Amino acid sequence: MMPRALRRLVHLMLFCPLSKGLQSRLPAIKVKYLLLAWLGILVISWIVYMQYASYSELCRGHVCHMVICDHYRRGIISGSSCKALCDQRTLTLQRCMSTSSTHQVYNGLWKEKPVVIKCGVEDPVKTDGAPDSMLRQEMSLFDKPTRGTSMDEFKEMLHSFLKVNLGEQSSLSTLVDRVITLADVNQDGKVSLAEAKSIWALLQINEFLLMVALQEKEHTPKLLGFCGDLYVTERVSHNSLYRLEVPNSLQSLIPEALSSSLNHWLAPAWPRRARITIGLLEFVEEVFHGSYGSFLICDANPYHVGYNSKYDCKMANLRSVASEAVVRGFLKGRRCETNGDCTYGRDCTATCDRLVKQCNTEVVQPNLAKVCVLLQDYLLFGAPSDLRGDLEKQLRTCVTLSGLASQMEVHHSLVLNNLKTLLWKKISNTQYS
């Protein structure tokens, strides 16, 4: 039975007349809330539609799987992951992480271990949408080397390709041998035509080439396998410096200040951020004059830098890193009116010589300066009070670095080492070191 007091309250709410003032306002109140409700439904429906449309456009892993496995079964391609992907089904695509319809990225499982699977898909605009048209488009990826190419000729092909993409390096022969070993999937000391076609197609992917060239570096994700132009890497626990990534469809609705505040709140403790930063600075060192030349970070983006469960920095995305040789080749002889015309990628910018209207080939802002711009917000919020002044000073010096040759060698190394030392002193001999 309902208590007497509660019954009385319900009776008053249901049957007692409303005040005359409220009665006169009731129609307006109803219309107001009805409009708000409809507006809310429209906004939610638009968000759901945009997310679905974006997902269906960006996430085309089924096409990638179909094309790769068709080529594998026809003997056109080979690779260490082909059986697992196409026959045994122990390599599976799961959560879609793609940001481009032509570059598919998926979290997946390989023998129950978490991995990342990446592959290229032809732009759907350029095809008629039929599966066989996609297969025809993909055939052009595996047109080299041709039947009859000898091992010596293939090695020469590789050497010439690497020279163009990495510059003249004394160590290129070692890298050619590394590529040959990687291509020899069955380890019989020979490279079959399918193996050669697969590794050649993979080398056309900038990120794959960099992973091979930097595979011994601590902050580069490990390459685990490949099949045709699909490749598998270790999964980085956190694939961004920040935990909150606002989808493109919602960026206009969520103020930047709000997302920034949420990221501050969700961020790891400051000592852990310092440890991640030290790893990122070490990566800058690794690519600054490496065994196979220098590399430039052409999009210093927090969503390209990740870290693992131990807070060791791992580059989650190497697609925006380019060899200095490629950037110089792009800029050499390029016509320009402003410095903006002399930009490779997002922010590898050189100056425009307005007298001859051609780009200079030296990028103005070095890797370290770009990384320090990224780190200003990441490191300064929550920084220890006794360190904050020195840290601000070091970062200000860092972001003003020029890429001119006269500064790069000594000044670059000095600033980088000073920043690393400052952070390491604070966290050394603690649980975070």
Side-chain angles (χ1 to χ4, degrees):
M1 292 290 291
M2 187 184 294
R4 184 175 179 181
L6 184 58
R7 287 203 310 272
R8 183 174 175 82
L9 179 61
V10 170
H11 182 271
L12 286 169
M13 291 173 65
L14 292 175
F15 302 110
C16 286
L18 299 170
S19 67
K20 290 184 178 179
L22 186 58
Q23 286 181 51
S24 63
R25 292 172 57 200
L26 191 57
I29 291 172
K30 283 183 176 179
V31 171
K32 176 184 174 182
Y33 283 105
L34 189 62
L35 285 173
L36 286 173
W38 274 110
L39 182 62
I41 291 170
L42 285 172
V43 168
I44 292 169
S45 301
W46 177 77
I47 291 171
V48 170
Y49 171 76
M50 291 299 292
Q51 289 294 97
Y52 173 78
S54 174
Y55 184 89
S56 60
E57 179 187 343
L58 293 178
C59 300
R60 302 165 64 227
H62 61 289
V63 175
C64 183
H65 188 278
M66 175 190 69
V67 170
I68 289 294
C69 290
D70 177 82
H71 282 47
Y72 167 63
R73 290 176 182 129
R74 290 159 61 189
I76 297 169
I77 61 172
S78 180
S80 55
S81 306
C82 290
K83 283 186 179 179
L85 180 72
C86 303
D87 296 339
Q88 301 164 348
R89 299 296 177 97
T90 54
L91 175 60
T92 56
L93 284 69
Q94 294 186 324
R95 183 185 171 204
C96 176
M97 307 288 287
S98 306
T99 57
S100 164
S101 61
T102 58
H103 184 73
Q104 295 294 291
V105 182
Y106 278 79
N107 281 339
L109 286 177
W110 192 359
K111 298 177 182 177
E112 303 304 317
K113 291 184 179 179
V115 295
V116 174
I117 304 163
K118 301 183 180 184
C119 77
V121 176
E122 186 69 22
D123 190 339
V125 175
K126 297 178 182 177
T127 69
D128 58 16
D132 61 335
S133 70
M134 292 175 184
L135 295 175
R136 286 196 303 271
Q137 291 284 347
E138 290 291 313
M139 282 297 290
S140 61
L141 281 172
F142 307 108
D143 59 354
K144 289 182 182 179
T146 55
R147 188 171 299 278
T149 303
S150 69
M151 192 64 167
D152 288 340
E153 287 172 328
F154 184 52
K155 283 187 175 182
E156 184 56 40
M157 277 176 64
L158 290 173
H159 193 280
S160 299
F161 174 82
L162 295 172
K163 182 178 176 180
V164 169
N165 284 273
L166 300 178
E168 183 66 77
Q169 310 291 335
S170 60
S171 54
L172 285 187
S173 296
T174 304
L175 189 56
V176 168
D177 292 339
R178 180 184 293 181
V179 171
I180 292 293
T181 301
L182 189 63
D184 184 12
V185 175
N186 57 11
Q187 298 179 339
D188 62 354
K190 302 173 184 178
V191 177
S192 68
L193 185 60
E195 290 171 338
K197 284 179 181 289
S198 298
I199 204 69
W200 182 258
L202 281 165
L203 288 173
Q204 313 309 307
I205 303 170
N206 177 60
E207 182 177 52
F208 183 88
L209 174 58
L210 287 172
M211 291 184 77
V212 174
L214 301 173
Q215 72 171 24
E216 76 281 2
K217 304 300 183 184
E218 181 183 353
H219 306 294
T220 303
K222 289 183 175 62
L223 179 66
L224 302 178
F226 63 92
C227 182
D229 66 335
L230 174 148
Y231 56 106
V232 185
T233 72
E234 68 170 313
R235 188 188 298 181
V236 180
S237 307
H238 304 275
N239 59 3
S240 167
L241 282 181
Y242 296 116
R243 295 187 179 181
L244 178 67
E245 183 176 359
V246 180
N248 292 333
S249 57
L250 299 181
Q251 284 178 358
S252 58
L253 300 176
I254 299 177
E256 188 177 345
L258 176 61
S259 62
S260 178
S261 297
L262 286 171
N263 272 319
H264 287 183
W265 185 67
L266 293 169
W270 186 87
R272 286 176 171 152
R273 278 181 276 134
R275 180 182 173 89
I276 294 165
T277 297
I278 290 169
L280 179 54
L281 294 173
E282 288 173 349
F283 176 76
V284 172
E285 283 184 297
E286 288 170 356
V287 300
F288 182 50
H289 272 324
S291 305
Y292 304 111
S294 295
F295 298 88
L296 300 174
I297 300 172
C298 293
D299 185 3
N301 190 312
Y303 302 115
H304 294 168
V305 184
Y307 56 94
N308 61 20
S309 57
K310 296 180 181 178
Y311 299 93
D312 297 319
C313 174
K314 290 279 186 180
M315 297 302 293
N317 188 337
L318 289 170
R319 294 180 69 205
S320 61
V321 179
S323 71
E324 190 176 46
V326 165
V327 176
R328 285 181 178 273
F330 171 84
L331 294 170
K332 188 176 181 181
R334 188 175 183 82
R335 297 281 296 170
C336 64
E337 297 290 339
T338 66
N339 291 352
D341 298 326
C342 304
T343 302
Y344 180 92
R346 184 172 174 267
D347 55 16
C348 279
T349 303
T351 54
C352 174
D353 188 333
R354 288 182 175 83
L355 289 176
V356 296
K357 294 193 174 183
Q358 283 193 351
C359 296
N360 294 311
T361 59
E362 200 159 14
V363 172
V364 174
Q365 194 179 29
N367 291 337
L368 183 58
K370 295 175 193 174
V371 165
C372 284
V373 170
L374 189 68
L375 292 173
Q376 280 183 309
D377 179 60
Y378 187 71
L379 266 186
L380 288 177
F381 78 85
S385 55
D386 61 331
L387 187 74
R388 189 178 178 91
D390 285 341
L391 191 55
E392 280 185 309
K393 183 181 176 181
Q394 292 282 357
L395 288 171
R396 272 199 308 269
T397 302
C398 182
V399 298
T400 58
L401 281 173
S402 165
L404 299 177
S406 56
Q407 287 192 5
M408 284 293 278
E409 294 295 336
V410 179
H411 198 189
H412 178 283
S413 298
L414 184 63
V415 171
L416 191 148
N417 287 326
N418 284 346
L419 191 52
K420 271 179 62 179
T421 302
L422 184 68
L423 296 171
W424 185 248
K425 278 184 178 179
K426 192 65 182 176
I427 67 169
S428 61
N429 300 320
T430 71
Q431 61 177 316
Y432 304 105
S433 59

